[in-house]
Amino acid sequence: LDRSDHEQARLRFLEALPIYREVGDRLGEANCIQSLGDIALRRSDHEQARLRFLEALPIYREFGDRLGEANCIMSLGDIALQRSDHEQARLRFLEALPIFREVGSRLGEANCIRSLGQVDAAEGLVDPAREQYAEALAIFRALPEPYSAGLCLYHFARLDAPGSEARRQHLAEAIEAWNSIDRPDLVARLRARFPGEC
């Protein structure tokens, strides 16, 4: 999955799933189901992803796995956001956020906050979006989490006026973050998205 070999990952999770069920390992089962949902989401198969997360969610709740629960809820928010269902996305992110805080997952918390910023931006609420991005970026930098920091800076740049100093600064910082983790693919995509500005 980390290598983006989605088909091979899907086959392995499908192979493991009945074994977890056979031995009665419900959390292993839930993790497999959630991973199948992650693959479907990366492939933009939103309906399959939604069904998988909804299948895993009650298992996590049954065993009190709050982090698994929060990850499923946030993923359901991601699907809603990609479908432009902003109200549902906001509700899911606001549901997941306190759980991430409860279990001390700063990365989950920051991802939720950034996603709330994306909802605000999609609804034209520029100032609230900037506030959410700034809060998330501070956490990403403190962790440190350069990939996510760069993504946050990219979202900032989308709100900035074309050709502005703010946009140039945000793009330069995103490039610096991604270069630090050797991700020329992300830098290339950024330059294609903002030609002549970075």
Side-chain angles (χ1 to χ4, degrees):
L1 183 59
D2 288 343
R3 291 180 174 183
S4 297
D5 186 349
H6 296 150
E7 186 54 26
Q8 186 59 228
R10 190 182 71 83
L11 291 172
R12 292 299 184 187
F13 290 128
L14 286 172
E15 185 181 358
L17 185 55
I19 301 171
Y20 281 124
R21 287 177 170 153
E22 180 185 328
V23 300
D25 184 339
R26 295 280 282 157
L27 283 177
E29 177 185 355
N31 288 332
C32 256
I33 294 166
Q34 183 185 20
S35 295
L36 288 165
D38 289 337
I39 293 168
L41 185 54
R42 290 182 192 191
R43 290 177 158 184
S44 298
D45 184 349
H46 295 149
E47 187 54 27
Q48 183 60 225
R50 190 182 70 82
L51 291 172
R52 290 296 191 180
F53 295 131
L54 287 173
E55 185 181 358
L57 185 56
I59 302 173
Y60 284 128
R61 285 178 170 154
E62 177 187 341
F63 284 89
D65 185 333
R66 298 287 276 163
L67 183 57
E69 178 183 356
N71 282 326
C72 274
I73 294 167
M74 187 170 76
S75 294
L76 289 166
D78 290 335
I79 294 167
L81 181 57
Q82 289 182 24
R83 288 178 162 180
S84 298
D85 185 349
H86 301 147
E87 181 180 353
Q88 184 61 222
R90 188 186 303 280
L91 288 172
R92 289 298 191 176
F93 296 138
L94 288 172
E95 183 182 357
L97 183 57
I99 303 174
F100 282 124
R101 286 178 171 153
E102 173 193 321
V103 300
S105 173
R106 295 286 281 159
L107 182 58
E109 176 186 358
N111 281 327
C112 255
I113 294 167
R114 185 196 65 219
S115 294
L116 285 165
Q118 288 178 260
V119 174
D120 286 338
E123 293 185 335
L125 304 170
V126 175
D127 288 340
R130 285 184 190 282
E131 289 173 17
Q132 304 275 21
Y133 293 152
E135 185 179 353
L137 183 59
I139 299 172
F140 289 137
R141 283 179 165 159
L143 284 172
E145 180 58 45
Y147 169 81
S148 299
L151 192 58
C152 215
L153 289 157
Y154 158 76
H155 288 303
F156 256 126
R158 291 180 64 199
L159 296 178
D160 297 327
S164 67
E165 180 58 35
R167 178 177 277 189
R168 280 193 295 274
Q169 182 66 33
H170 286 134
L171 293 173
E173 290 177 17
I175 289 170
E176 182 182 355
W178 287 337
N179 278 337
S180 77
I181 54 170
D182 193 27
R183 291 298 302 269
D185 57 318
L186 296 174
V187 173
R189 269 188 261 163
L190 194 69
R191 289 191 164 129
R193 172 71 176 78
F194 299 95
E197 294 191 78
C198 56

